[in-house]
Amino acid sequence: MKTRDRLRIAMQKSGRLTEPAQDLLNRCGLTFRQSRDKLFCFGEGEPVDLLLVRDDDIPGLIAQGVCDLGIVGRNVLNEYRLTGGRDEAPLAEWRALGFGRCRLSIAVPQELDYQRPEQLTGLRIATSYPGLLGEWLQQRQIDAGVVTLAGSVEIAPRLGTADAICDLVQSGGTLVANQLREADVLLESEAVLAGAQTLPTDERGDMIELLLKRLDGVIQVRESRLLLLQTSRGSLDAITRLLPGGPQPTLLPLAGQPDQLMLQALCAGEVSWRQLEEIKKAGAREMFVLPVEKMLA
Ligand code: PRT
Ligand code: ZN
């Protein structure tokens, strides 16, 4: 078989992950020409193309070598690892991407006083994740029935086709609307970059490595702020103690004022008004908090 020389990334065609995934790839410097059928998008700058598909198809496309990488929920990836083809390449989670967060949870009718998983013994649990639920039950040696449904899992208890469910929960609103209660969490999920466990050894492997570096920069930047302030040397210790986490700050002397410094610190996460007020009280002035546009370590 002729090997491809362009990298191919699969992502969801239309759904919760589509917009954030597209945005993330754009921030990594990847732009695509939209094709008319919107299944295949040709990459304009780098040799990277996009395949727009249903999220459930993404792990299989990677395992079969049709795509090199995919952006997909950990829930879908891990379910595929448990239930997918045996002879296919094993899949790896290369990066957690920080969007599409949700939990795969057991939910029970509100009136059931759930204390421990063993209470599920003998019950029927409806789910679209038979692999993950089956593994969780097996690890706890619980003998419960697994009712596999493709969708609308939350109405199964009301219809009498199951006693409990195992489904994705985000705000919890769907559970409340169906008189259910979250009882146990099986998996904390978010969108991930999935790929084969071993990288290709050709140009595609080099491109994946480059992309992973850019991705790390983008993820770090998204959570970083640059704090600039002026202070006298005497207040420096007190101010440094209050700085939100991050690498060592940089200090620059102010021209013509040897006792005065400008401090520059990269902060992990938001810098709140309260933190700024505390730092000011400790002797800082002329404070600025700036977003970080790009970062390459
Ligand atoms: O058409 P395609 O198969 O591609 O799309 P899909 O309908 O299977 O997927 P989509 O777009 O709904 O979800 C894609 C991915 O988003 C999932 O695989 C998860 O990784 C992630 N995600 C994050 C969620 C949710 N949050 C979520 N809340 N996926 C589904 N839900 C559903 C859940 O199934 C339940 O019905 O939302 C309801 C619960 O939400 P709350 O807020 O009421 O708790
Ligand atoms: Zn789906």
Side-chain angles (χ1 to χ4, degrees), residues 1-4 6-8 51 57-69 80 88-89 91 195-196 200 204:
M1 196 172 84
K2 189 180 170 297
T3 56
R4 276 182 290 116
R6 295 176 65 84
L7 197 72
R8 215 179 268 164
L51 209 60
D57 295 337
I58 293 174
L61 289 168
I62 303 168
Q64 289 147 22
V66 178
C67 292
D68 306 287
L69 297 171
Y80 185 86
E88 295 169 339
L91 300 183
R204 283 181 296 155

Side-chain angles (χ1 to χ4, degrees), residues 12-18 53-57 72-76 99-103 129 152-154 167-175 189-191:
Q12 195 183 23
K13 181 177 164 103
S14 129
R16 288 169 209 262
L17 305 182
T18 306
V53 294
R54 288 201 56 193
D55 66 344
D56 318 73
D57 295 337
V72 66
R74 181 179 292 137
N75 48 300
V76 173
F99 58 85
R101 282 186 213 266
C102 55
R103 311 176 288 283
Y129 296 87
S152 304
V153 169
E154 64 278 3
D167 198 10
L168 298 178
V169 182
Q170 203 223 327
S171 65
T174 304
L175 294 185
S189 187
E190 64 188 280

Side-chain angles (χ1 to χ4, degrees), residues 98-142:
F99 58 85
R101 282 186 213 266
C102 55
R103 311 176 288 283
L104 181 67
S105 295
I106 301 276
V108 297
Q110 267 161 11
E111 61 277 9
L112 190 102
D113 177 29
Y114 181 95
Q115 303 290 341
R116 332 175 286 286
E118 289 71 28
Q119 285 172 266
L120 297 169
T121 302
L123 299 189
R124 296 161 303 161
I125 310 172
T127 190
S128 308
Y129 296 87
L132 287 165
L133 174 60
E135 184 190 51
W136 187 83
L137 291 170
Q138 199 187 3
Q139 283 167 353
R140 287 160 185 76
Q141 300 182 329
I142 295 167

Side-chain angles (χ1 to χ4, degrees), residues 66-293:
V66 178
C67 292
D68 306 287
L69 297 171
I71 296 177
V72 66
R74 181 179 292 137
N75 48 300
V76 173
L77 175 66
N78 287 5
E79 178 68 17
Y80 185 86
R81 282 164 153 174
L82 293 169
T83 54
R86 295 272 164 266
D87 310 327
E88 295 169 339
L91 300 183
E93 178 180 318
W94 282 95
R95 291 292 185 278
L97 302 176
F99 58 85
R101 282 186 213 266
C102 55
R103 311 176 288 283
L104 181 67
S105 295
I106 301 276
V108 297
Q110 267 161 11
E111 61 277 9
L112 190 102
D113 177 29
Y114 181 95
Q115 303 290 341
R116 332 175 286 286
E118 289 71 28
Q119 285 172 266
L120 297 169
T121 302
L123 299 189
R124 296 161 303 161
I125 310 172
T127 190
S128 308
Y129 296 87
L132 287 165
L133 174 60
E135 184 190 51
W136 187 83
L137 291 170
Q138 199 187 3
Q139 283 167 353
R140 287 160 185 76
Q141 300 182 329
I142 295 167
D143 188 11
V146 175
V147 180
T148 305
L149 299 178
S152 304
V153 169
E154 64 278 3
I155 58 168
R158 263 197 293 161
L159 296 179
T161 51
D163 307 297
I165 69 167
C166 168
D167 198 10
L168 298 178
V169 182
Q170 203 223 327
S171 65
T174 304
L175 294 185
V176 172
N178 288 281
Q179 289 115 50
L180 298 169
R181 188 162 62 79
E182 193 171 1
D184 232 319
V185 178
L186 276 65
L187 176 75
E188 296 280 352
S189 187
E190 64 188 280
V192 302
L193 184 75
Q197 233 159 51
T198 38
L199 295 185
T201 47
D202 54 13
E203 299 95 332
R204 283 181 296 155
D206 299 340
M207 190 63 220
I208 292 177
E209 274 179 25
L210 181 88
L211 187 60
L212 289 176
K213 284 204 191 96
R214 287 190 189 177
L215 209 52
D216 289 339
V218 169
I219 292 168
Q220 211 181 342
V221 157
R222 199 169 51 196
E223 285 151 17
S224 298
R225 301 286 179 276
L226 189 68
L227 172 64
L228 300 177
L229 58 84
Q230 292 182 15
T231 176
S232 62
R233 279 183 194 278
S235 306
L236 194 57
D237 279 352
I239 288 176
T240 313
R241 270 198 296 276
L242 291 172
L243 292 178
Q248 275 297 100
T250 310
L251 299 170
L252 302 166
L254 288 190
Q257 301 177 64
D259 185 43
Q260 300 298 313
L261 298 168
M262 186 175 108
L263 179 149
Q264 176 182 304
L266 192 66
C267 306
E270 280 288 329
V271 183
S272 68
W273 282 109
R274 185 151 300 185
Q275 282 171 314
L276 281 183
E277 285 151 6
E278 291 285 312
I279 297 169
K280 190 171 162 68
K281 258 193 233 153
R285 55 180 202 282
E286 303 289 333
M287 304 173 73
F288 293 91
V289 180
L290 307 176
V292 179
E293 169 83 16

